[in-house]
Amino acid sequence: MDRSSGEVKRRCDNHHPTVWGDHFLAYAHLSGANEWEKKQHEHLKEEVRKMLVMAPSKSLQNLNLINAIQCLGVAYHFEHEIEESLACIYSCYEELNGEADETDLHLVALRFRLLRQHGYYVSSGMQLLLQFLLKRF
């Protein structure tokens, strides 16, 4: 910077032009494509909503679906349906854990985690773990 004139001297370099050209600088607003994408987006949301409602509320399929939706980061679209499913699961939690065929540790752990994440009080269940181990061996 030249103190007397207040001008800033900048170095100039000769950069080669990019192989991509200005393709990525130009943006064409395609309103038709955006409308189609919005319709597709709404259609897919409705399909997932139907899957959540149609899946048996106490099943592993429903828990896996809720887990996948959360992992994908789109659970905010289906908050109401997820809460309804988990409320139903929570209301039957004790009887579900007491069932004789409850030998799937993945199902028990997933049910426990999802209920805890959504603010339901669920015992950490050392008894449940012992029951599981006794059934397995």
Side-chain angles (χ1 to χ4, degrees):
M1 182 164 132
D2 189 8
R3 293 182 187 212
S4 60
S5 64
E7 291 181 28
V8 178
K9 290 185 179 181
R10 295 195 172 114
R11 288 184 270 171
C12 187
D13 224 349
N14 280 337
H15 295 287
H16 299 286
T18 178
V19 294
W20 300 104
D22 63 350
H23 175 74
F24 293 110
L25 296 176
Y27 174 74
H29 182 67
L30 304 173
S31 61
N34 288 339
E35 289 301 316
W36 178 82
E37 288 173 356
K38 286 179 185 176
K39 287 180 185 176
Q40 184 71 7
H41 182 252
E42 290 302 317
H43 173 71
L44 292 173
K45 278 182 13 183
E46 286 305 314
E47 278 189 36
V48 173
R49 199 168 271 118
K50 286 178 188 174
M51 289 170 64
L52 274 168
V53 172
M54 297 299 285
S57 60
K58 301 172 192 172
S59 71
L60 178 60
Q61 177 189 4
N62 192 21
L63 292 171
N64 281 332
L65 182 60
I66 292 170
N67 187 43
I69 289 169
Q70 288 181 344
C71 288
L72 289 171
V74 294
Y76 63 95
H77 289 292
F78 312 103
E79 287 176 353
H80 180 69
E81 291 82 3
I82 290 172
E83 280 302 318
E84 281 181 356
S85 292
L86 292 176
C88 180
I89 291 169
Y90 181 71
S91 67
C92 306
Y93 186 74
E94 292 303 321
E95 74 182 53
L96 290 173
N97 284 335
E99 289 179 359
D101 64 340
E102 194 71 45
T103 57
D104 186 2
L105 186 59
H106 172 68
L107 172 64
V108 173
L110 186 59
R111 186 185 307 139
F112 173 79
R113 183 179 60 79
L114 288 174
L115 287 171
R116 276 283 180 104
Q117 278 182 335
H118 285 267
Y120 293 100
Y121 173 75
V122 181
S123 172
S124 60
M126 287 305 291
Q127 279 182 318
L128 184 62
L129 182 60
L130 289 173
Q131 287 175 358
F132 176 77
L133 291 174
L134 289 174
K135 287 178 186 177
R136 292 291 275 194
F137 301 107

